[in-house]
Structure formats: structure tokens, C-alpha cells
Amino acid sequence: MVTTGNAADNTQITYNVSFPEAQAHYADIEMKITGLKQDELELKMPVWTPGSYLVREFARNIEGLSASANGKSLSAKKIRKNIWQLHIAGIGTVVIKYRVYAFEISVRTSFIDASHAFLSSPDMFLYPGNMLHSASTIHIKPYKAWDKVSTSLEKVNGDVFTRYSPNYDILFDSPIEIGNQEIFNFDAYGVHYEVCMQGGGNYDKERLKKDLAKVVAEEVAIYGENPNKHYTFIIHNALKGGGGLEHLSSTTLGASRDAYTTERGYQNFLSLAAHEHFHLWNVKRLRPIALGPFDYDNENYTTNLWIAEGFTAYYQDIIVRRTQLYSPENYLGMLAEDINLLENSEGAKVQTLAESSYDAWIKAYRPNENSGNSTISYYTKGSIVALLLDLEIINDSKGQYSLDDVMRYMYNEYYKTKQRGYTDAEFKAGLEKFAGKNLDDFYAKYINGLTPVDYAYYLGLAGYKLTNELADNNDPALGITTIPNIPRLIVATVTRGSAAWKDGINVNDEIIAIDGEPALEAGKLLSGKKVGDKIKVTIARDGILMDIPVTLLKSTKVKYKVDELPNPTAQQLVVRKKWLTLK
């Protein structure tokens, strides 16, 4: 039986969540706090959700907040964008009522309609200031015929509609799905897994049970334990779905409902599931020191998201490769795609990996038309850096160690033994322990600097090389992209250093003609043109027609593939076998 009091302060907190207007995307919440002894109470709404590094101002969706005690109204004065203050001298019990509008489809925000409710807890539940340690009970009154709840929060007395959280860090890390979703289960390494499928789809649940269990097994093998008793996959299937958000004992995934039966679609889903499940160790427990205890009022800055997310992005594909569910060739193809993504980004020449992590709060989640020229993804470059370190460690230890050993050591040393996060210097020391050498130069080049990645050296350790399939091309390029799926050619981005950049074509310009010929298709704008040609681009800018002379430059786009080197050495084969889990 679960009890719901807090032994430290005898405060009890309950929430009643109902959906009288689910079709209009509202939840009604009644919060009751008993055992209060202070003169003032602050009610707070988080401004961000852990794992998604952007201040999202969740309080903007709250309506009609009111407070009462003993049947009489209390003043609830808003003193900050996300804080309400109540004067409660001599009052032991307070009831707060408010409504939340929820109509943003993502894995990190709440969404409610007549078919289901997805509650991302940080944008749903107010909490009492200075009481993050307090336990709470959530009573759910489902809308109409909804009959299921999927969450990692524990049931109270076996009631599926009543859940318990021991503190607010747990509550804010436990999304709740309510509706008529399909649920199936499997067990892996003594842990019970629930898979919640909302939105339908052409998935084969028996196949998913077996393959997800294989993914779990490979990840548990790295860390030596699964710290959960149970784990919940909440999967939202949509026409076009994607993305995921990690939680302590669950995850929310976005998937395309009709993609499970294609080879690429299924591989992508397994990689996404592997990514978010890997986070239950890396970031939820083994974490940068800045990421916990959380400050829910402000940004929580770290330069180490390239470890928290980038390393996880590396492992998502290498883990599925280890299950033998897809071939080494498939994995190398995915690796080439990541390399192409980084190497075709002008931002790789501007923003360091550490800067990308630190500036996530203002740049990563708010991309604009110039982001490709000025930023990189700590997922992509972090994944590539993890690859370099893995190959280096395997090579230098002659196959005795790998990046797995670093992750296991850091997990045991900091999460289990020291029971805290790691600093930048401590993670670097962990890498050096297994690399067997100082990594100052590596960090100066690839973490804190802008040195191009030496793929020839690192892939060469495993007997591979990169081949640029476009190396012999001499095609001209404007250096623009256009807005897709509209009948007009509207410029969406302009690449730094390109012909369009140099000669002044702007984002939002409409391309009307090239040398007087109507511009009909983006892919055929430069038909018959050569590098060095001087052309006249007719555009419409803010309703004004103008001609812009442009000198065409060579396309700088690369398209790499990973090829084997001829006659690999015995040492290269040792590295290759361990890296790719070759039989």
C-alpha cells in the first residue's frame, strides 16, 4: 500500500484532474494542500521541462486560477510570470483551482482532445515553492469512455486512476497518457516494460516485444544493471511523427503510424527507442552536475549536452547494430548520413561543441533562417565525437576497452558512489583513464575548437575511409533552399559564402526568373549553367520586382560514404570487430 503523506513536514498535496471540455483542449485541476503552517505560500509553475532545454513559459496556458480556504475565497496575487502568492497565516488547508489549455503536439508539451490526453507534468501541475521534496497524489477523472492510464507513477491501492509521486522531481519526470491506447508488455532482465500505443499504426507488437527486449539487453550490458523496477514507453503514432523525450522511468516517443513495415522506418523507430531508453542511465542518472537538482524557474546551463545527448545519439545506432537487427553496412550508411549532416553545415566553422551545449537555451530550440550558418547540433557533432573516442580507446587498448567502459565507470563513480553529477574536468578524466593518455589536444580541437574532424585517421583505425561521391562534380549552385510544398519559389535559407550570399539574394525573396526564363522548379533553376557564369536573377522582394546579377560558384556540398580500406591490418580488424560487434 502506498501512503501519501510527507514525513518531514506532514504536508499532504492532492490533485484532482478532470476533462469536462476535452474536445476544447482543457484540463481542470483542483489542488489541495493540507498541513500548512507558514504565513505565506507561493505557487509555482515550471518554465521548462527537463530534457528539453528551452524556457517555454508554461504559465501562459493557465486560466482562471483561484484559491480558497474553509469555503472562503483567498487572494492569489501573481508576483512573477510563473508565481502566485497567497497570504495564509493561521490557515492549514488551501484549495487551488485552475484550468490548463493543452493543444501543442510534441513529446515535451501537453495535448488534450476528445480522443486522449497527454499530460507533460511540468506544464500541468503547480507546486508549492520550497516544497519540491513533498509527495503528492493525483486523482484522474477520465473523459467519457477513456479507460486506461499509462505512466511510470505508482498506483495507489491498485487504482489505475490514482497515482502517487514521492516528490516533484519525480512528478515532473513522469508524463501521463490517458485514453483508450493499446497497451502491451514484456519483461527484460527482471524489469517490467509497458508499451503504450496511441494513435494506431501498422506495428507488429510481437515483433516489437522481441526487438525492444534485445535493445534493452544491449544497453543493460553496458552499465551492468537496470535501476528501474518498471519502465513505460508512451508512443504517439501520427501521420508524420518523430522525436522523443527521456524520463527517469519512462519515455515519450513520436512515430509515423504507417512506417513500421518499411525497413528504414522500423530501423529509425528502434534507434529512437534505443536513444531515449539509453537516457535512463546517461543524463537521468549519470548527468552533468548542472542538471540536478533542477531550478524550474530558470535556465540550467551546462557545456556537456554533447555528452548527455551526443553520446546517446551515438549509442542509439550502435546499440541496434549490436542486436544484429541490421547489418554493419546499414550502420555505416547511417554514420555517413551523420557525417554529411555535420560537414554540409557552415555552422561547423562558427560554433564549437561546448558553445552549442551552453547556448541550447537560446539557439538550439529557436532555429531561424540563419541557424545553419551559425550553429551546429550537439546531437550530431557529439555523436561523431563519441565515435572518435570509441575508436581511439578500442585502438589504444588493443580491443580491451571501449567507450562502454567509460560510461560504466562514470555511472558507478558519480551516480552510485558519489551520488552527484560530474564536472567537465571529471568526465574528461574518465575518458583519459581508458584512453590511457591526456586528451587536452582532443578537447582543444573538437570540443572547444573548430578544427575539422580527421576522419581519415579515426576511421582508418578500423580499416575504413570516407569517399566523397560528389568529389568530381563541378556543378554550379546558388546556395539557397526554398520553402517546400508551395507553388512559388520562396527562398528559405541562404548558405554562408555561396553565390546567393555574396551577391545579395535574401531569405523571403521570391525567385521569378533566371536570365528572363520563368523559374518553375527549384531543381531546374540552373539548367545549362556553368560555374563562373554571370546570370540575372529576377526576384520579388516585399512586392517589388528587381534584377540581381549573380556569379555562379561551385557547389560545396559533400556526400560521403564509408568504404573499406584495402588490405586492413590485424590491428585494424581487432578494432573493427569490437566496434561493429562482428561475429
Side-chain angles (χ1 to χ4, degrees), residues 346-364:
E346 289 297 314
K349 303 171 186 175
V350 176
Q351 188 182 52
T352 71
L353 194 48
E355 290 170 343
S356 176
S357 297
Y358 198 84
D359 282 343
W361 294 93
I362 58 173
K363 294 186 177 183

Side-chain angles (χ1 to χ4, degrees), residues 398-461:
K398 294 182 171 51
Q400 182 179 358
Y401 300 121
S402 71
L403 191 59
D404 292 8
D405 296 281
V406 177
M407 303 306 286
R408 185 184 309 110
Y409 166 78
M410 294 297 292
Y411 174 79
N412 288 326
E413 183 72 9
Y414 289 93
Y415 169 66
K416 297 188 71 175
T417 303
K418 291 185 168 64
Q419 298 183 351
R420 65 168 174 83
Y422 56 80
T423 66
D424 296 37
E426 287 168 341
F427 199 92
K428 178 172 175 286
L431 289 167
E432 291 172 338
K433 177 180 177 67
F434 291 93
K437 60 186 176 185
N438 182 286
L439 292 174
D440 285 354
D441 184 58
F442 185 93
Y443 266 65
K445 287 179 177 178
Y446 300 130
I447 313 303
N448 302 311
L450 298 170
T451 304
V453 176
D454 188 352
Y455 296 105
Y457 168 73
Y458 286 99
L459 289 175
L461 296 176

Side-chain angles (χ1 to χ4, degrees), residues 476-550:
L478 277 175
I480 64 170
T481 64
T482 58
I483 298 174
N485 303 319
I486 63 172
R488 299 184 297 160
L489 298 182
I490 308 295
V491 177
T493 65
V494 178
T495 301
R496 185 189 299 272
S498 67
W501 174 284
K502 290 178 180 294
D503 291 326
I505 293 177
N506 293 347
V507 168
N508 295 327
D509 288 348
E510 180 180 358
I511 308 295
I512 303 296
I514 303 290
D515 288 339
E517 292 294 323
L520 302 176
E521 295 182 44
K524 296 182 179 180
L525 285 177
L526 302 181
S527 295
K529 307 298 183 183
K530 303 187 299 297
V531 173
D533 284 353
K534 298 182 186 301
I535 63 172
K536 179 180 69 176
V537 181
T538 303
I539 66 164
R541 180 178 297 169
D542 192 30
I544 299 173
L545 287 175
M546 59 181 69
D547 293 329
I548 297 181
V550 175

Side-chain angles (χ1 to χ4, degrees), residues 31-142:
M31 178 186 188
K32 185 176 182 180
I33 311 173
T34 63
L36 293 167
K37 296 179 180 179
Q38 64 262 48
D39 291 339
E40 291 188 344
L41 173 67
E42 286 189 349
L43 299 173
K44 293 186 174 186
M45 175 68 84
V47 302
W48 69 289
T49 187
S52 181
Y53 306 102
L54 175 68
V55 171
R56 296 182 184 274
E57 313 293 19
F58 294 135
R60 75 189 190 280
N61 291 321
I62 288 182
E63 297 178 16
L65 186 145
S66 65
S68 63
N70 302 317
K72 296 181 180 180
S73 178
L74 282 178
S75 172
K77 181 181 179 182
K78 196 169 189 179
I79 61 172
R80 190 176 157 175
K81 63 182 180 181
N82 67 318
I83 303 175
W84 291 259
Q85 185 181 66
L86 285 72
H87 298 288
I88 59 167
I91 297 173
T93 299
V94 174
V95 176
I96 302 98
K97 295 181 180 181
Y98 60 98
R99 310 190 80 199
V100 181
Y101 179 73
F103 194 56
E104 183 176 350
I105 298 176
S106 81
V107 296
R108 63 190 70 86
T109 51
S110 295
F111 178 87
I112 300 168
D113 67 9
S115 66
H116 76 115
F118 172 68
L119 307 185
S120 178
S121 300
D123 67 6
M124 277 284 146
F125 297 108
L126 291 168
Y127 70 97
N130 300 318
M131 293 172 62
L132 284 170
H133 60 285
S134 295
S136 60
T137 304
I138 300 94
H139 302 282
I140 298 167
K141 182 180 180 181

